[in-house]
Amino acid sequence: MTDTPDKTQSSGQTLSARAEAARAERLARQAAALRANLRRRKDQARTRQDHNTAEEPSPATTQPPGNGESKTCP
């Protein structure tokens, strides 16, 4: 994913119509795969974020009782 020119273009060679079509198809498949990968990563990040916020304990369950008594059974 760099901005360097292709080897075929820098050496002065031209591609045949068939080779150019194959190159265009390959680039289209690569672009589609990159978009799909980005979507998966974003979905995964959203899922992790939702999961982490759901696991945070509520303040009512983490604080001891206000009357100074413990929650142990007699």
Side-chain angles (χ1 to χ4, degrees), residues 1 3 10 12-13 23-24 27-31 34 39-41 45-46 52-53 55-57 62 64-65 68 72 74:
M1 299 289 314
D3 292 333
S10 63
Q13 296 176 350
R23 180 178 172 272
L27 289 174
R29 284 193 309 269
Q30 183 182 25
L34 289 170
R39 278 190 209 107
R40 279 193 306 270
R41 288 184 9 226
R46 285 185 198 113
N52 288 341
T53 57
E55 285 187 359
E56 290 180 6
T62 58
T72 58

PDB file of all heavy atoms in Angstrom, residues 1 3 10 12-13 23-24 27-31 34 39-41 45-46 52-53 55-57 62 64-65 68 72 74:
ATOM      1  N   MET A   1       0.817  -1.174   0.000  1.00  0.00           N
ATOM      2  CA  MET A   1       0.000   0.000   0.000  1.00  0.00           C
ATOM      3  C   MET A   1       0.875   1.256   0.000  1.00  0.00           C
ATOM      4  O   MET A   1       0.688   2.155   0.764  1.00  0.00           O
ATOM      5  CB  MET A   1      -0.927   0.012   1.207  1.00  0.00           C
ATOM      6  CG  MET A   1      -1.909  -1.108   1.333  1.00  0.00           C
ATOM      7  SD  MET A   1      -3.280  -1.159   0.186  1.00  0.00           S
ATOM      8  CE  MET A   1      -3.901   0.494   0.143  1.00  0.00           C
ATOM      9  N   ASP A   3       2.879   4.372  -2.358  1.00  0.00           N
ATOM     10  CA  ASP A   3       2.602   5.179  -3.543  1.00  0.00           C
ATOM     11  C   ASP A   3       3.689   5.032  -4.600  1.00  0.00           C
ATOM     12  O   ASP A   3       3.874   5.906  -5.429  1.00  0.00           O
ATOM     13  CB  ASP A   3       2.465   6.652  -3.146  1.00  0.00           C
ATOM     14  CG  ASP A   3       1.227   6.893  -2.314  1.00  0.00           C
ATOM     15  OD1 ASP A   3       0.272   6.121  -2.483  1.00  0.00           O
ATOM     16  OD2 ASP A   3       1.222   7.836  -1.520  1.00  0.00           O
ATOM     17  N   SER A  10       7.289   1.505 -14.574  1.00  0.00           N
ATOM     18  CA  SER A  10       8.567   2.171 -14.410  1.00  0.00           C
ATOM     19  C   SER A  10       9.603   1.669 -15.402  1.00  0.00           C
ATOM     20  O   SER A  10      10.549   2.378 -15.720  1.00  0.00           O
ATOM     21  CB  SER A  10       9.076   2.010 -12.982  1.00  0.00           C
ATOM     22  OG  SER A  10       9.306   0.644 -12.703  1.00  0.00           O
ATOM     23  N   GLY A  12       9.004   0.964 -18.510  1.00  0.00           N
ATOM     24  CA  GLY A  12       8.646   1.374 -19.856  1.00  0.00           C
ATOM     25  C   GLY A  12       7.831   0.349 -20.614  1.00  0.00           C
ATOM     26  O   GLY A  12       7.451   0.586 -21.751  1.00  0.00           O
ATOM     27  N   GLN A  13       7.555  -0.804 -20.025  1.00  0.00           N
ATOM     28  CA  GLN A  13       6.767  -1.824 -20.692  1.00  0.00           C
ATOM     29  C   GLN A  13       5.296  -1.503 -20.553  1.00  0.00           C
ATOM     30  O   GLN A  13       4.859  -0.950 -19.560  1.00  0.00           O
ATOM     31  CB  GLN A  13       7.037  -3.197 -20.085  1.00  0.00           C
ATOM     32  CG  GLN A  13       8.444  -3.684 -20.258  1.00  0.00           C
ATOM     33  CD  GLN A  13       8.660  -5.009 -19.545  1.00  0.00           C
ATOM     34  OE1 GLN A  13       7.813  -5.460 -18.782  1.00  0.00           O
ATOM     35  NE2 GLN A  13       9.795  -5.627 -19.789  1.00  0.00           N
ATOM     36  N   ARG A  23      -4.989  -7.261 -14.057  1.00  0.00           N
ATOM     37  CA  ARG A  23      -4.475  -6.358 -13.025  1.00  0.00           C
ATOM     38  C   ARG A  23      -5.627  -5.564 -12.399  1.00  0.00           C
ATOM     39  O   ARG A  23      -5.700  -5.409 -11.179  1.00  0.00           O
ATOM     40  CB  ARG A  23      -3.451  -5.412 -13.634  1.00  0.00           C
ATOM     41  CG  ARG A  23      -2.862  -4.435 -12.660  1.00  0.00           C
ATOM     42  CD  ARG A  23      -1.814  -3.557 -13.360  1.00  0.00           C
ATOM     43  NE  ARG A  23      -1.388  -2.501 -12.485  1.00  0.00           N
ATOM     44  CZ  ARG A  23      -1.982  -1.307 -12.391  1.00  0.00           C
ATOM     45  NH1 ARG A  23      -3.014  -1.025 -13.147  1.00  0.00           N
ATOM     46  NH2 ARG A  23      -1.543  -0.402 -11.558  1.00  0.00           N
ATOM     47  N   ALA A  24      -6.543  -5.079 -13.213  1.00  0.00           N
ATOM     48  CA  ALA A  24      -7.677  -4.314 -12.706  1.00  0.00           C
ATOM     49  C   ALA A  24      -8.570  -5.188 -11.824  1.00  0.00           C
ATOM     50  O   ALA A  24      -9.042  -4.740 -10.772  1.00  0.00           O
ATOM     51  CB  ALA A  24      -8.484  -3.736 -13.866  1.00  0.00           C
ATOM     52  N   LEU A  27      -6.803  -5.685  -8.472  1.00  0.00           N
ATOM     53  CA  LEU A  27      -6.905  -4.484  -7.648  1.00  0.00           C
ATOM     54  C   LEU A  27      -8.312  -4.317  -7.071  1.00  0.00           C
ATOM     55  O   LEU A  27      -8.472  -3.907  -5.922  1.00  0.00           O
ATOM     56  CB  LEU A  27      -6.512  -3.248  -8.463  1.00  0.00           C
ATOM     57  CG  LEU A  27      -5.022  -3.121  -8.796  1.00  0.00           C
ATOM     58  CD1 LEU A  27      -4.787  -1.932  -9.722  1.00  0.00           C
ATOM     59  CD2 LEU A  27      -4.191  -3.002  -7.540  1.00  0.00           C
ATOM     60  N   ALA A  28      -9.331  -4.662  -7.852  1.00  0.00           N
ATOM     61  CA  ALA A  28     -10.715  -4.568  -7.361  1.00  0.00           C
ATOM     62  C   ALA A  28     -10.949  -5.576  -6.245  1.00  0.00           C
ATOM     63  O   ALA A  28     -11.596  -5.257  -5.233  1.00  0.00           O
ATOM     64  CB  ALA A  28     -11.696  -4.803  -8.504  1.00  0.00           C
ATOM     65  N   ARG A  29     -10.432  -6.799  -6.398  1.00  0.00           N
ATOM     66  CA  ARG A  29     -10.580  -7.811  -5.330  1.00  0.00           C
ATOM     67  C   ARG A  29      -9.849  -7.374  -4.065  1.00  0.00           C
ATOM     68  O   ARG A  29     -10.350  -7.535  -2.959  1.00  0.00           O
ATOM     69  CB  ARG A  29     -10.029  -9.164  -5.807  1.00  0.00           C
ATOM     70  CG  ARG A  29     -10.917  -9.905  -6.775  1.00  0.00           C
ATOM     71  CD  ARG A  29     -10.470 -11.346  -6.947  1.00  0.00           C
ATOM     72  NE  ARG A  29      -9.057 -11.493  -7.247  1.00  0.00           N
ATOM     73  CZ  ARG A  29      -8.533 -11.524  -8.483  1.00  0.00           C
ATOM     74  NH1 ARG A  29      -9.313 -11.425  -9.525  1.00  0.00           N
ATOM     75  NH2 ARG A  29      -7.233 -11.672  -8.649  1.00  0.00           N
ATOM     76  N   GLN A  30      -8.672  -6.802  -4.257  1.00  0.00           N
ATOM     77  CA  GLN A  30      -7.905  -6.346  -3.105  1.00  0.00           C
ATOM     78  C   GLN A  30      -8.639  -5.221  -2.379  1.00  0.00           C
ATOM     79  O   GLN A  30      -8.721  -5.213  -1.145  1.00  0.00           O
ATOM     80  CB  GLN A  30      -6.528  -5.866  -3.538  1.00  0.00           C
ATOM     81  CG  GLN A  30      -5.654  -5.434  -2.383  1.00  0.00           C
ATOM     82  CD  GLN A  30      -4.306  -4.907  -2.846  1.00  0.00           C
ATOM     83  OE1 GLN A  30      -4.163  -4.440  -3.964  1.00  0.00           O
ATOM     84  NE2 GLN A  30      -3.319  -4.982  -1.983  1.00  0.00           N
ATOM     85  N   ALA A  31      -9.188  -4.283  -3.119  1.00  0.00           N
ATOM     86  CA  ALA A  31      -9.930  -3.170  -2.506  1.00  0.00           C
ATOM     87  C   ALA A  31     -11.151  -3.689  -1.753  1.00  0.00           C
ATOM     88  O   ALA A  31     -11.440  -3.242  -0.637  1.00  0.00           O
ATOM     89  CB  ALA A  31     -10.346  -2.164  -3.577  1.00  0.00           C
ATOM     90  N   LEU A  34      -9.990  -5.334   1.472  1.00  0.00           N
ATOM     91  CA  LEU A  34      -9.594  -4.338   2.467  1.00  0.00           C
ATOM     92  C   LEU A  34     -10.806  -3.679   3.114  1.00  0.00           C
ATOM     93  O   LEU A  34     -10.824  -3.456   4.332  1.00  0.00           O
ATOM     94  CB  LEU A  34      -8.693  -3.279   1.830  1.00  0.00           C
ATOM     95  CG  LEU A  34      -7.286  -3.752   1.458  1.00  0.00           C
ATOM     96  CD1 LEU A  34      -6.579  -2.694   0.632  1.00  0.00           C
ATOM     97  CD2 LEU A  34      -6.488  -4.090   2.694  1.00  0.00           C
ATOM     98  N   ARG A  39     -14.443  -3.321   7.879  1.00  0.00           N
ATOM     99  CA  ARG A  39     -15.760  -3.493   8.494  1.00  0.00           C
ATOM    100  C   ARG A  39     -15.713  -4.478   9.648  1.00  0.00           C
ATOM    101  O   ARG A  39     -16.303  -4.254  10.702  1.00  0.00           O
ATOM    102  CB  ARG A  39     -16.775  -3.979   7.457  1.00  0.00           C
ATOM    103  CG  ARG A  39     -17.338  -2.870   6.629  1.00  0.00           C
ATOM    104  CD  ARG A  39     -18.521  -3.367   5.798  1.00  0.00           C
ATOM    105  NE  ARG A  39     -18.600  -2.576   4.602  1.00  0.00           N
ATOM    106  CZ  ARG A  39     -18.269  -2.973   3.384  1.00  0.00           C
ATOM    107  NH1 ARG A  39     -17.879  -4.205   3.175  1.00  0.00           N
ATOM    108  NH2 ARG A  39     -18.349  -2.168   2.350  1.00  0.00           N
ATOM    109  N   ARG A  40     -15.011  -5.606   9.433  1.00  0.00           N
ATOM    110  CA  ARG A  40     -14.889  -6.606  10.499  1.00  0.00           C
ATOM    111  C   ARG A  40     -14.188  -6.025  11.717  1.00  0.00           C
ATOM    112  O   ARG A  40     -14.602  -6.258  12.855  1.00  0.00           O
ATOM    113  CB  ARG A  40     -14.105  -7.832  10.001  1.00  0.00           C
ATOM    114  CG  ARG A  40     -14.924  -8.802   9.196  1.00  0.00           C
ATOM    115  CD  ARG A  40     -14.194 -10.125   9.001  1.00  0.00           C
ATOM    116  NE  ARG A  40     -12.869  -9.971   8.423  1.00  0.00           N
ATOM    117  CZ  ARG A  40     -12.599  -9.980   7.120  1.00  0.00           C
ATOM    118  NH1 ARG A  40     -13.575 -10.115   6.252  1.00  0.00           N
ATOM    119  NH2 ARG A  40     -11.373  -9.845   6.681  1.00  0.00           N
ATOM    120  N   ARG A  41     -13.111  -5.287  11.500  1.00  0.00           N
ATOM    121  CA  ARG A  41     -12.384  -4.698  12.621  1.00  0.00           C
ATOM    122  C   ARG A  41     -13.227  -3.675  13.369  1.00  0.00           C
ATOM    123  O   ARG A  41     -13.188  -3.601  14.597  1.00  0.00           O
ATOM    124  CB  ARG A  41     -11.087  -4.051  12.120  1.00  0.00           C
ATOM    125  CG  ARG A  41     -10.058  -5.088  11.710  1.00  0.00           C
ATOM    126  CD  ARG A  41      -8.715  -4.538  11.286  1.00  0.00           C
ATOM    127  NE  ARG A  41      -8.502  -3.138  11.498  1.00  0.00           N
ATOM    128  CZ  ARG A  41      -7.987  -2.301  10.593  1.00  0.00           C
ATOM    129  NH1 ARG A  41      -7.650  -2.740   9.403  1.00  0.00           N
ATOM    130  NH2 ARG A  41      -7.792  -1.032  10.870  1.00  0.00           N
ATOM    131  N   ALA A  45     -14.419  -3.977  17.239  1.00  0.00           N
ATOM    132  CA  ALA A  45     -14.158  -2.920  18.220  1.00  0.00           C
ATOM    133  C   ALA A  45     -15.449  -2.489  18.904  1.00  0.00           C
ATOM    134  O   ALA A  45     -15.476  -2.266  20.118  1.00  0.00           O
ATOM    135  CB  ALA A  45     -13.483  -1.734  17.549  1.00  0.00           C
ATOM    136  N   ARG A  46     -16.529  -2.377  18.133  1.00  0.00           N
ATOM    137  CA  ARG A  46     -17.819  -2.005  18.726  1.00  0.00           C
ATOM    138  C   ARG A  46     -18.292  -3.072  19.709  1.00  0.00           C
ATOM    139  O   ARG A  46     -18.812  -2.756  20.784  1.00  0.00           O
ATOM    140  CB  ARG A  46     -18.862  -1.814  17.634  1.00  0.00           C
ATOM    141  CG  ARG A  46     -18.707  -0.529  16.871  1.00  0.00           C
ATOM    142  CD  ARG A  46     -19.859  -0.357  15.888  1.00  0.00           C
ATOM    143  NE  ARG A  46     -19.501   0.607  14.889  1.00  0.00           N
ATOM    144  CZ  ARG A  46     -19.303   0.353  13.603  1.00  0.00           C
ATOM    145  NH1 ARG A  46     -19.481  -0.863  13.138  1.00  0.00           N
ATOM    146  NH2 ARG A  46     -18.969   1.297  12.759  1.00  0.00           N
ATOM    147  N   ASN A  52     -17.444  -4.377  27.202  1.00  0.00           N
ATOM    148  CA  ASN A  52     -16.765  -3.782  28.353  1.00  0.00           C
ATOM    149  C   ASN A  52     -17.690  -2.873  29.150  1.00  0.00           C
ATOM    150  O   ASN A  52     -17.622  -2.840  30.374  1.00  0.00           O
ATOM    151  CB  ASN A  52     -15.529  -2.997  27.899  1.00  0.00           C
ATOM    152  CG  ASN A  52     -14.417  -3.904  27.450  1.00  0.00           C
ATOM    153  OD1 ASN A  52     -14.392  -5.077  27.786  1.00  0.00           O
ATOM    154  ND2 ASN A  52     -13.488  -3.369  26.694  1.00  0.00           N
ATOM    155  N   THR A  53     -18.547  -2.135  28.490  1.00  0.00           N
ATOM    156  CA  THR A  53     -19.455  -1.256  29.220  1.00  0.00           C
ATOM    157  C   THR A  53     -20.535  -2.060  29.939  1.00  0.00           C
ATOM    158  O   THR A  53     -21.019  -1.655  30.982  1.00  0.00           O
ATOM    159  CB  THR A  53     -20.116  -0.223  28.294  1.00  0.00           C
ATOM    160  OG1 THR A  53     -20.807  -0.896  27.247  1.00  0.00           O
ATOM    161  CG2 THR A  53     -19.092   0.730  27.713  1.00  0.00           C
ATOM    162  N   GLU A  55     -20.056  -4.962  31.352  1.00  0.00           N
ATOM    163  CA  GLU A  55     -19.459  -5.654  32.488  1.00  0.00           C
ATOM    164  C   GLU A  55     -19.116  -4.727  33.636  1.00  0.00           C
ATOM    165  O   GLU A  55     -18.796  -5.191  34.718  1.00  0.00           O
ATOM    166  CB  GLU A  55     -18.189  -6.385  32.052  1.00  0.00           C
ATOM    167  CG  GLU A  55     -18.459  -7.638  31.273  1.00  0.00           C
ATOM    168  CD  GLU A  55     -17.188  -8.422  31.013  1.00  0.00           C
ATOM    169  OE1 GLU A  55     -16.102  -7.976  31.419  1.00  0.00           O
ATOM    170  OE2 GLU A  55     -17.287  -9.477  30.405  1.00  0.00           O
ATOM    171  N   GLU A  56     -19.144  -3.425  33.434  1.00  0.00           N
ATOM    172  CA  GLU A  56     -18.815  -2.514  34.515  1.00  0.00           C
ATOM    173  C   GLU A  56     -19.849  -2.661  35.624  1.00  0.00           C
ATOM    174  O   GLU A  56     -21.058  -2.589  35.382  1.00  0.00           O
ATOM    175  CB  GLU A  56     -18.792  -1.074  34.016  1.00  0.00           C
ATOM    176  CG  GLU A  56     -17.633  -0.776  33.093  1.00  0.00           C
ATOM    177  CD  GLU A  56     -17.645   0.664  32.613  1.00  0.00           C
ATOM    178  OE1 GLU A  56     -18.472   1.452  33.076  1.00  0.00           O
ATOM    179  OE2 GLU A  56     -16.822   0.981  31.756  1.00  0.00           O
ATOM    180  N   PRO A  57     -19.402  -2.878  36.853  1.00  0.00           N
ATOM    181  CA  PRO A  57     -20.356  -3.050  37.955  1.00  0.00           C
ATOM    182  C   PRO A  57     -21.042  -1.735  38.273  1.00  0.00           C
ATOM    183  O   PRO A  57     -20.468  -0.666  38.131  1.00  0.00           O
ATOM    184  CB  PRO A  57     -19.487  -3.508  39.114  1.00  0.00           C
ATOM    185  CG  PRO A  57     -18.110  -3.074  38.764  1.00  0.00           C
ATOM    186  CD  PRO A  57     -18.036  -3.026  37.266  1.00  0.00           C
ATOM    187  N   THR A  62     -21.223  -2.351  44.350  1.00  0.00           N
ATOM    188  CA  THR A  62     -19.839  -2.333  44.801  1.00  0.00           C
ATOM    189  C   THR A  62     -19.658  -1.625  46.127  1.00  0.00           C
ATOM    190  O   THR A  62     -18.661  -1.808  46.789  1.00  0.00           O
ATOM    191  CB  THR A  62     -18.943  -1.648  43.751  1.00  0.00           C
ATOM    192  OG1 THR A  62     -19.418  -0.326  43.524  1.00  0.00           O
ATOM    193  CG2 THR A  62     -18.936  -2.425  42.459  1.00  0.00           C
ATOM    194  N   PRO A  64     -20.349  -0.852  50.137  1.00  0.00           N
ATOM    195  CA  PRO A  64     -20.850  -1.588  51.308  1.00  0.00           C
ATOM    196  C   PRO A  64     -22.150  -0.958  51.790  1.00  0.00           C
ATOM    197  O   PRO A  64     -22.461   0.175  51.438  1.00  0.00           O
ATOM    198  CB  PRO A  64     -19.732  -1.409  52.347  1.00  0.00           C
ATOM    199  CG  PRO A  64     -18.971  -0.209  51.894  1.00  0.00           C
ATOM    200  CD  PRO A  64     -19.131  -0.129  50.402  1.00  0.00           C
ATOM    201  N   PRO A  65     -22.913  -1.663  52.581  1.00  0.00           N
ATOM    202  CA  PRO A  65     -24.174  -1.107  53.091  1.00  0.00           C
ATOM    203  C   PRO A  65     -23.915   0.177  53.869  1.00  0.00           C
ATOM    204  O   PRO A  65     -22.893   0.329  54.536  1.00  0.00           O
ATOM    205  CB  PRO A  65     -24.718  -2.195  54.010  1.00  0.00           C
ATOM    206  CG  PRO A  65     -23.961  -3.424  53.673  1.00  0.00           C
ATOM    207  CD  PRO A  65     -22.688  -3.011  53.034  1.00  0.00           C
ATOM    208  N   GLY A  68     -23.372   0.447  58.110  1.00  0.00           N
ATOM    209  CA  GLY A  68     -22.185  -0.044  58.800  1.00  0.00           C
ATOM    210  C   GLY A  68     -22.209  -1.539  59.049  1.00  0.00           C
ATOM    211  O   GLY A  68     -21.280  -2.089  59.601  1.00  0.00           O
ATOM    212  N   THR A  72     -22.664 -10.474  55.920  1.00  0.00           N
ATOM    213  CA  THR A  72     -22.478 -11.870  56.285  1.00  0.00           C
ATOM    214  C   THR A  72     -23.728 -12.410  56.978  1.00  0.00           C
ATOM    215  O   THR A  72     -24.453 -11.697  57.645  1.00  0.00           O
ATOM    216  CB  THR A  72     -21.256 -12.048  57.223  1.00  0.00           C
ATOM    217  OG1 THR A  72     -21.461 -11.254  58.379  1.00  0.00           O
ATOM    218  CG2 THR A  72     -19.986 -11.632  56.519  1.00  0.00           C
ATOM    219  N   PRO A  74     -25.636 -14.658  59.866  1.00  0.00           N
ATOM    220  CA  PRO A  74     -25.347 -14.971  61.283  1.00  0.00           C
ATOM    221  C   PRO A  74     -24.998 -16.405  61.509  1.00  0.00           C
ATOM    222  O   PRO A  74     -25.236 -17.309  60.876  1.00  0.00           O
ATOM    223  CB  PRO A  74     -26.607 -14.595  62.039  1.00  0.00           C
ATOM    224  CG  PRO A  74     -27.646 -14.277  61.046  1.00  0.00           C
ATOM    225  CD  PRO A  74     -27.003 -14.243  59.704  1.00  0.00           C
TER     226      PRO A  74
END
